[in-house]
């Protein structure tokens, strides 16, 4: 699908959408529990559909009923499809090594996901009893039985490795240790994992070396849960506000969240935009924007949309600590710089980030989403600071996380035309 976005005045608010990060974890914890669990939510996406497919390996299903995902007993599947969801794959691989309803489970997924890093998690699982077919390609088969012990992982590749082990190891007989080598990057995502696990009766001990996990435990369902709304996707509309004359914002965001991407509120204020917070609604409006330096170590998903704000701020913004972005849905350092430079920005890549020299406005142009949902949505928001139209190819990438993005964009005054639908 190709979408043409036209310069338009944006104003108003949109409702927050359910946090994909929380929903992945809540669904998995519910699937590992006996009985039924109801999770209130408001947005389905391709990634969440992948996790729903995956939990069939535990004999569970999730059915959407009246704004809730009802997780209950279902048909056991020997074949699951994680599609393009890195979270689903990296969580489910260690969990399947610890527990499944059949002897062997076959995992399918996209070729691109197969090429994304899975070492050294893969090797650690095999060293501790799992039997997994060749990495780097699908289908991948999982059998064997994970055992307790010491697991060692670097902190700078993916926090999802740590989360996957945390979810799996309580079900293993005997206690285990997860040793983190170096600083654990994106730690807020691990904190979300621990928060969700605690709701299901799991209590993990954080240590100087990483985490201590008591084994032989059972997940216990709290029966009813509410999935909080998402800051990662809210960031696009909050930034739209920071670039607009009128206030634009997002409703129903938890001010006390564990989500690392809630830092978007602080960073947009540092840029110099005007902030309004009332009754869990957060809004921004444009003021004089000035460059800031951004450490993206714990907020890599914010880099695309923050790069847009930096592109039209006075001065030079330096974004660093973002080397892991080269292994996302696209090489996001390259795709961000390529797309925004095509639209009139002045951005240079570094090994671990971007150097962005501000310009007054973008000029518009034609770009590709790189099949990356965050690049697609950043390109759309760029239309509010562009003199000309912006044509975005392969815009359907948004279905990975925010399928109703265009509806919400239209609610605040966004103008666009879809082709190839």
């Amino acid at each position: 699908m190709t979408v043409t976005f036209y310069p338009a005045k944006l104003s108003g608010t949109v409702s927050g959408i359910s946090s994909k990060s929380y929903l992945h974890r809540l669904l998995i914890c519910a699937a590992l529990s006996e009985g039924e669990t109801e999770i209130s939510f408001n947005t389905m996406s391709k990634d969440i559909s992948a996790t729903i497919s995956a939990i069939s390996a535990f004999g569970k299903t999730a059915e959407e009923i009246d704004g809730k995902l009802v997780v209950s007993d279902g048909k056991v599947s020997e074949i699951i499809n994680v599609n393009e969801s890195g979270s689903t794959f990296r969580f489910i691989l260690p969990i399947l090594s610890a527990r499944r309803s059949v002897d062997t489970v076959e995992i399918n997924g996209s070729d691109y996901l197969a090429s994304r890093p899975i070492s050294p998690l893969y090797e650690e699982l095999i060293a501790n009893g799992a039997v997994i077919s060749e990495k780097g390609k699908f289908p991948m088969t999982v059998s064997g039985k994970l055992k307790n012990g010491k697991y060692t992982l670097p902190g700078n590749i993916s926090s999802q490795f740590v989360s996957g082990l945390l979810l799996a190891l309580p079900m293993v007989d005997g206690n285990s240790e997860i040793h983190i080598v170096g600083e654990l990057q994106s730690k807020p995502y691990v904190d979300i994992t621990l928060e969700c696990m605690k709701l299901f009766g799991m209590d993990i001990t954080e240590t100087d070396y990483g985490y201590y996990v008591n084994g032989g435990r059972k997940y216990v369902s709290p029966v009813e849960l509410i999935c909080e709304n998402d800051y990662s996707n809210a960031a696009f509309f909050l930034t739209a506000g920071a670039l607009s004359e009128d206030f634009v914002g997002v409703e129903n965001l938890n001010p006390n969240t564990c989500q690392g991407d809630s830092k978007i509120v602080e960073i947009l204020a540092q840029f110099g935009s005007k902030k309004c917070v009332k009754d869990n609604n957060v809004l921004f409006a444009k003021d004089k924007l000035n460059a800031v330096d951004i450490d993206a170590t714990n907020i890599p998903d914010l880099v695309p949309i923050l790069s847009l704000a930096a592109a039209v701020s006075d001065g030079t913004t330096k974004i660093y600590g973002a080397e892991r972005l080269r292994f996302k849905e696209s090489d996001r350092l390259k795709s961000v710089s390529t797309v925004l430079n095509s639209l009139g920005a002045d951005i240079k890549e570094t090994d671990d980030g971007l150097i962005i020299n501000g310009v007054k406005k973008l000029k518009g142009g034609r770009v590709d989403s790189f099949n990356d949902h965050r690049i697609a949505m950043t390109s759309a928001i760029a239309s509010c600071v562009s003199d000309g139209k912006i044509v975005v190819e392969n815009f359907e990438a948004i279905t990975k996380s925010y399928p109703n993005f265009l509806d919400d964009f239209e609610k605040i005054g966004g103008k666009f035309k879809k082709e190839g639908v």
Side-chain angles (χ1 to χ4, degrees), residues 25 90-91 94-95 153 158-169 178 184 186-194 197 211 219:
R25 293 159 172 81
R90 289 164 171 167
F91 294 164
I95 295 170
L153 293 171
S158 175
S159 66
Q160 292 170 355
F161 294 173
V162 180
S163 287
L165 279 177
L166 287 170
L167 290 161
L169 289 175
I178 303 175
L184 176 57
S186 292
K187 186 178 183 294
Y189 287 102
V190 176
D191 293 337
I192 292 173
T193 303
L194 296 175
M197 292 176 69
Y211 299 92
Y219 283 81

Side-chain angles (χ1 to χ4, degrees), residues 3 5 10 17 20 43 45 230-237 239-240 243 301 304-306 308 329 332 336 339-340 343 367-384 390 392-409:
V3 183
F5 294 91
L10 305 183
I17 67 170
K20 188 161 63 81
T43 303
S45 66
D230 185 62
Y231 274 91
S232 302
N233 283 316
F236 294 96
F237 290 108
T239 303
L243 303 176
D301 285 345
I305 192 61
L306 286 175
L308 173 61
E329 284 80 352
R332 281 191 182 148
V336 166
V339 166
L340 292 181
L343 299 176
V367 297
D368 188 90
S369 74
F370 286 81
N371 198 36
D372 189 325
H373 53 135
R374 300 197 189 282
I375 301 301
M377 290 186 282
T378 297
S379 302
I381 298 300
S383 63
C384 73
I390 295 175
V392 187
E393 298 176 356
N394 298 310
F395 196 78
E396 64 274 10
I398 62 167
T399 58
K400 182 176 175 65
S401 65
Y402 201 158
N404 296 324
F405 173 84
L406 287 176
D407 293 335
D408 284 347
F409 187 61

